[in-house]
Structures are given as C-alpha cells and as structure tokens.
Amino acid sequence: CFLEVFLLFLVLTKQQFPRLCTTREALLTKECCPLWEGDGSACGARSGRGSCEDAAVSDQPDGPQYPFSGLDDREKWPLVFYNRTCQCAGNFMGFNCADCKFGYFGENCNERRETLRRNIHHLTRSERNRLVSYLNLAKQTVSRDYVVATGTYREMGNGSSPMFADVSVYDVFVWMHYYVSRNALLGGPGNVWPDVDFGHWAPAFSPWHRVYLLHWEHEIRKLTGDTSFSIPYWDWRDAQGCDVCTDDLMGARSRQDPSLISPGSVFSSWKVLCSQAEVYNTRGVLCDASEEGPIRRNPGNHDQNLVERLPTSAEVEFTLSLPNYDTGAMDRTANMSFRNTLEGFGDPRTGLGSSSRLGMHAALHVFMNGSMSSVQGSANDPIFILHHAFVDSIYEQWLRRHRPAPSQYPESNAPIGHNGDYHMAPFLPLHRNKEYFISSKELGYEYSYLLNASKSEGYMRIGSGGGGKKALQSYPPPGGQLCSAKKK
C-alpha cells in the first residue's frame, strides 16, 4: 500500500462550535470566548492577542428571497448562539486567538509566507501519495476542539439542552457545507423554505468558499505538522472525463458497481454524512451526523439535458470577461454577472441568468453524478476540494483582471447572508463576506498557472483546447432534477 501510516489521534481544528462553547453555561450566557492556553486568559487578552467583545452585526436590509425573520439559526450569525466572541488583534486569528491570520506563521504570527497551489497532475508520485494520506488521516481523526450541531437552538431549549456530535476533522468541513446550504426549517415535518442558501446562489459564493478552503488547508497543516502543504487544483477545462478518478488520486470507478469507487482506493471505504437532504426536509430536522453509506460517483453518466459536457476554455474566458461581479437581484436570475456565471446559473456563452442548462462550477458537480451532485452533501467527495480550488483560481483571475473597487461587493439587498458585512455562517472565528473580496496574494497564497499568465496554463489562450417547500436542494435549482476530464 502506498499510503503512509499515521496514528489516529485527536487534533485541534478551527471552525464551527468550539467544544468549550457548547456547554449549557456557554450557550445560556451566549458567550464564546475560550481561554488561550499560552497565558490562560480569554482570547489571549493578557498577551495582547485579542479580547472578548460584543459581536456586531449589520442592520442593512436583505433581498426579498427569504421573507422570514427570527426562524433560522443562521440569521445575523452568530447572534442566535453567541453575542460575545473573541476579536483578535494584529495578525492573530482563531476562536480563541491562538492562530495566525491567513498568510502569517510563527509563534507571534509575524512571519509572512506565500504558499503555492499547484495543478494536481503536476504533483510527483510521493506528493500524490502524501495528499491521499493526509485526506484519509483527516477523515479518520476525531476533532478535539470542535463539534457539530445536530439540533436547532430552539430544539436545544434555547441552550439549556445542548445537542452536538463528535465528527472527524474532514467531516467538520462536510457538515459546514451542509449547514450553510441547508433549507430553512420553519417548524414541523416538511415545513421548509428551499429558496435560501447562506453560501451559494448569491454574492458570497466566492468569498465563502475561499475562506472554507483556507481553513481546510490550515487544518491539514496542523494535523500533519506539514506547514508547506497546499491544496492542489484540478484544471477541468476541456476535459473529456474525470482524469483525477484514478486509484492513485481520487479513486477509479468500481468494476462491480459503476456508481461506487474502486476498492483499490482508500476513498472506497469512506462513509458520507449529511447527504440526505430530502429525508431531513421531510422530517423537518437537521442532519444528525451519522454515517449514510459510501461515496457515490458515476462521472459522465449524468442528465445530458442539464449539462452537456465539462466547461471549455472559451467558456471560462467568457466568464472572466464579464466586468460586473454581480447584477440585478444578485441571485440565480442575475444577467451578465461574473459570480452567477462562474457559479453555473448564468449561461457561459451569453451571460443570461436562470439558464436551462448548468455551466461552469455547477456543471462539474452534475457531471460527477453522485455525492457531488447534491449541494448539501457534495463535500463528502474529496474531489470537491480540487474542484473548488480551481473555481477559486478563476475568481482570483477575475479579481486581478478587473481590479474591482470594494464597492462592487454589495452592502445591502443581496439574499440573506450575502451582504458585505454579514458574518459567514457557520464560521467561528467570524469572517465578513467583503473581507475576502481581495486577491489571494493578500491572504498568503498563489496559483502556479497565474505566476505567469503567458505560460502554457494561462487563461489568455482564448478558446484553446487544452421550487416547492419540499424541494430537494441540489445543483439543479429547486424544481429541477437531481442526477441520481483532460488537463495539464
């Protein structure tokens, strides 16, 4: 076996519901200001790392897509759970200010470093083996510092009866993607609102996933001790199939069942969670974080009426040419919107929103035809990370090409959760959407093919080969169908 052997152990992680903040006392006082072990003070205050402060939220109006107030725990995040959190100073970051801001390293967070995200097909064999090993270690290692919510705040008796579960480091991220995109629970079986998503279908799509990947990358470094680790990307432009679906990468197709992963890959043994959105909606409950079977994937055998093929270089270039980050209602109907076209609901040939066919980011999810094809459960498949790294690189290319003013990111009237000053749910530490409408270089990372856009991988090669209340939330919009690649 090419996998490196690691011992199973508990590890620190960085996002969503710190274990110390999920006690009855913490929930009733609505305060999440854990001690920093370095000096034993809340938020490392004695060392000047941060302080426990009121969590300030924006009062700017949201768009009309979600016509409720006070029903969903993600509204005005994190106020339903906590109204006081750590606010970190200088280059410090984290739920207790124990970590460094993205791009900074060292005990005092004063070492500035830039990491390089590379094409997965350019990794050496040992680097590929290491990537798979790190992913599997994260899947097998229970998070020490974080738990995930299995009930709403109301179901917890407004904090008097905590409902949380232990999951692995990898599955913390699976749960986060489920939680940000889940339907709003309005009370009772089947009573959900599907036209809401705090991380998709609106302006925060790109910033939210950027922060998600940065935290994931950081956790792998802490878990493995490999501070040089960076996420590779899968450049799927013009690909004819899933060329990362090999047993030395993300797992080949099983010969016994084409919807499963080959037993020659460690990913064939992985179990998914939070993947049954329709079941949760019918019952009117949150995912309980229990295992729900193997990863499913059947690339290319998808609904051809939704997605004809994987995106082309020409479609990527057209998307990059759109000068406006978002437009109109700033949702899936937005026309000539870079964000909506990148996300896949704008036609990558015309820029018109609410396209009958899905493109760009969404096209890849549908093409994979399995666990990746449901928004809420898509992060169960490790291809998710490679895919979103490339999507993030397109966002980065757009930022560099158009150099948008900060005012291009909307301060008001975007769908709920997406205004500039809204804190991203369900992150702790807190991040505001507009804070990540900036270049990756300011956050300490770069993409290899963007080092020199004139090189063979550059985007400048234009056209080169190279619903209803019970609707299931999937990459086809509510009301659409849910489906059951060669680059350098």
Side-chain angles (χ1 to χ4, degrees):
C1 176
F2 62 77
L3 296 179
E4 299 172 17
V5 178
F6 292 92
L7 294 177
L8 179 65
F9 60 93
L10 298 175
V11 65
L12 299 174
T13 59
K14 281 176 53 64
Q15 40 288 324
Q16 191 37 36
F17 291 115
R19 190 180 298 274
L20 294 174
C21 297
T22 58
T23 63
R24 185 175 185 272
E25 179 183 3
L27 292 172
L28 291 176
T29 60
K30 298 175 77 76
E31 182 171 290
C32 182
C33 295
L35 305 182
W36 175 53
E37 293 181 356
D39 65 10
S41 67
C43 313
R46 291 198 196 106
S47 301
R49 298 178 81 95
S51 57
C52 187
E53 305 287 348
D54 291 345
V57 299
S58 172
D59 60 0
Q60 291 294 319
D62 300 314
Q65 295 86 353
Y66 178 75
F68 308 102
S69 178
L71 291 180
D72 192 286
D73 291 346
R74 298 165 296 182
E75 295 176 28
K76 296 188 179 298
W77 181 262
L79 292 190
V80 170
F81 287 98
Y82 310 108
N83 55 30
R84 286 175 63 80
T85 64
C86 287
Q87 294 186 21
C88 305
N91 296 331
F92 300 112
M93 190 181 75
F95 68 86
N96 62 350
C97 303
D99 297 295
C100 300
K101 282 186 176 179
F102 303 124
Y104 289 89
F105 298 82
E107 184 177 347
N108 297 313
C109 300
N110 55 7
E111 299 174 21
R112 178 74 172 167
R113 244 187 279 163
E114 186 176 274
T115 57
L116 188 66
R117 292 181 180 175
R118 298 163 55 204
N119 188 320
I120 192 168
H121 291 300
H122 294 170
L123 302 183
T124 65
R125 178 175 293 276
S126 64
E127 289 170 335
R128 293 182 182 195
N129 292 350
R130 188 178 306 121
L131 171 66
V132 174
S133 296
Y134 286 178
L135 284 165
N136 198 44
L137 178 63
K139 184 70 171 180
Q140 305 303 327
T141 304
V142 176
S143 170
R144 187 184 84 180
D145 272 10
Y146 277 85
V147 290
V148 300
T150 57
T152 65
Y153 191 67
R154 181 176 298 176
E155 289 172 333
M156 296 183 198
N158 296 329
S160 61
S161 300
M163 297 173 65
F164 297 92
D166 290 321
V167 295
S168 72
V169 173
Y170 186 95
D171 286 340
V172 167
F173 288 90
V174 172
W175 180 90
M176 288 178 68
H177 196 264
Y178 151 77
Y179 192 80
V180 76
S181 59
R182 65 174 176 81
N183 293 167
L185 305 179
L186 305 183
N191 191 17
V192 301
W193 186 261
D195 193 18
V196 62
D197 191 313
F198 286 69
H200 302 82
W201 306 342
F205 168 74
S206 299
W208 191 94
H209 286 84
R210 171 161 286 191
V211 172
Y212 179 92
L213 291 178
L214 283 164
H215 274 298
W216 189 89
E217 192 170 58
H218 182 82
E219 292 315 309
I220 294 296
R221 292 171 185 164
K222 292 184 70 174
L223 172 62
T224 63
D226 184 356
T227 59
S228 67
F229 173 79
S230 62
I231 297 171
Y233 60 86
W234 174 26
D235 183 349
W236 32 248
R237 291 173 296 173
D238 306 307
Q240 300 303 303
C242 182
D243 55 14
V244 297
C245 293
T246 59
D247 279 346
D248 66 330
L249 288 174
M250 299 296 104
R253 193 191 309 267
S254 169
R255 294 181 179 179
Q256 287 72 38
D257 184 340
S259 71
L260 295 177
I261 297 174
S262 160
S265 167
V266 68
F267 300 120
S268 66
S269 66
W270 279 26
K271 303 301 181 185
V272 303
L273 70 157
C274 299
S275 66
Q276 299 178 357
E278 192 170 66
V279 173
Y280 316 141
N281 291 343
T282 299
R283 295 172 55 201
V285 299
L286 293 181
C287 157
D288 65 6
S290 61
E291 292 183 348
E292 297 172 342
I295 295 173
R296 294 206 169 264
R297 186 196 300 159
N298 193 359
N301 294 314
H302 58 284
D303 186 345
Q304 300 286 329
N305 292 319
L306 287 172
V307 171
E308 182 180 353
R309 46 165 168 65
L310 291 174
T312 66
S313 297
E315 290 170 340
V316 171
E317 178 58 32
F318 173 82
T319 302
L320 284 165
S321 74
L322 297 171
N324 296 315
Y325 180 71
D326 224 333
T327 63
M330 296 175 283
D331 56 16
R332 284 168 290 178
T333 68
N335 294 322
M336 305 304 287
S337 156
F338 165 74
R339 188 277 313 161
N340 199 35
T341 307
L342 173 63
E343 194 169 356
F345 301 107
D347 191 309
R349 295 159 294 187
T350 67
L352 298 180
S354 297
S355 174
S356 60
R357 283 181 176 268
L358 301 176
M360 298 299 288
H361 152 263
L364 189 285
H365 280 277
V366 173
F367 181 87
M368 297 310 297
N369 193 32
S371 301
M372 279 273 282
S373 302
S374 167
V375 180
Q376 297 176 22
S378 57
N380 279 291
D381 191 327
I383 289 178
F384 177 96
I385 300 294
L386 310 180
H387 169 46
H388 272 275
F390 191 62
V391 172
D392 182 73
S393 79
I394 299 173
Y395 173 46
E396 179 61 25
Q397 178 79 344
W398 184 86
L399 289 169
R400 296 186 191 184
R401 180 179 296 192
H402 296 281
R403 299 181 182 273
S407 60
Q408 266 224 46
Y409 195 93
E411 289 292 336
S412 62
N413 298 312
I416 189 170
H418 292 260
N419 286 340
D421 278 323
Y422 221 100
H423 291 126
M424 299 177 180
F427 286 102
L428 287 170
L430 300 177
H431 303 283
R432 296 185 190 272
N433 292 321
K434 68 181 182 182
E435 294 170 348
Y436 294 86
F437 194 60
I438 58 175
S439 172
S440 69
K441 296 183 76 65
E442 296 184 55
L443 299 167
Y445 70 99
E446 172 66 286
Y447 286 96
S448 59
Y449 76 97
L450 297 184
L451 286 172
N452 185 345
S454 66
K455 290 184 177 180
S456 61
E457 283 192 311
Y459 279 127
M460 304 311 292
R461 296 176 297 125
I462 300 176
S464 64
K469 286 189 177 180
K470 293 185 180 180
L472 172 62
Q473 189 170 348
S474 56
Y475 277 97
Q481 293 182 335
L482 170 66
C483 309
S484 180
K486 179 176 176 182
K487 264 335 262 185
K488 296 182 180 179

